[in-house]
Structure formats: structure tokens, C-alpha cells
Amino acid sequence: HVQLVESGGGSVQAGGSLRLSCTASADTFANYCMGWFRQAPGKEREGVAAIASDGRPSYADSVKGRFRISKDNTATTLTLNLQMDSLKPEDTAMYYCAADGPPCDVTPESGWYNAPFGISGQGTQVTVS
């Protein structure tokens, strides 16, 4: 049973910050690309930030300079984080932790942000007013 569990969503005023986290099995996902996608009502799901298995990050243009993706590993658990600063009302959406591969490619040239990963969590709501 593959499981990604998100936490950390909530409501914040414009200009504020939130930190999302996602936990997963380190054994299962050690060699996967991991990422965050979001979906606003009436819109397609879009990629926000991704990180390759070697730790290289990639960001959608809309969040560059404001969001930072990172991951931490223990012997058993992989934790994927998304630090979101300078939030805007247009960042309001359901945010999903997701995994892809291996093999996988999250370089900017790959267009990963247009193709939601195959494994996804249940999502956590972010509302910016």
C-alpha cells in the first residue's frame, strides 16, 4: 500500500507563510522524484516544485523565489517539505504531494509541471486571502 500523507495546510493572509510537509516510506521512495502539485477550483492540476532523487530542485515560474522544496531522510521515513513565503491569493488551491519514477526527470526542460506524477496523496488545502 503506497502512501503519501500531507500536512500543514491552512489559511493565511497575503504576504504570509506556510510550510507543507509530506511523509512517505524511505524504503519505497528513496530513488523517486518527489514534488508538489496544486489544483484550484475549475483549473487543471499544475506542478509547483519538484526535487530529484539526488536533491536537485525545480520550480514553476510562478513560485520561483517564493517557495522552497526540500527533503529529509531518516532510516525509515522520507519527509518532503514545501516552504511557501510571500503567499498570494492566486496560490489558493489544494496542494498534493506526489511521486514519480524511477526513472524520472524533473529538470526544467522535461516539462514535469504539466504532467502530474502517478502517485499522489489526498491533498491539503491552502487558502490565501
Side-chain angles (χ1 to χ4, degrees), residues 62-102:
S62 60
V63 305
K64 281 180 181 177
R66 300 189 297 120
F67 290 12
R68 190 173 74 88
I69 191 170
S70 62
K71 64 177 179 177
D72 300 307
N73 291 309
T74 67
T76 59
T77 303
L78 182 154
T79 302
L80 184 72
N81 302 302
L82 185 68
Q83 177 66 39
M84 304 186 295
D85 298 322
S86 301
L87 282 161
K88 304 175 181 180
E90 50 264 44
D91 294 319
T92 295
M94 186 72 79
Y95 282 70
Y96 298 89
C97 176
D100 187 39

Side-chain angles (χ1 to χ4, degrees), residues 37 45-48 58-60 107-117:
F37 287 74
R45 192 171 296 193
E46 62 177 1
V48 174
S58 181
Y59 299 94
T107 58
E109 302 77 26
S110 70
W112 62 268
Y113 32 83
N114 291 324
F117 295 170

Side-chain angles (χ1 to χ4, degrees), residues 4-6 45 94-97 120-124:
L4 302 174
V5 181
E6 302 98 337
R45 192 171 296 193
M94 186 72 79
Y95 282 70
Y96 298 89
C97 176
S120 179
Q122 294 298 307
T124 185

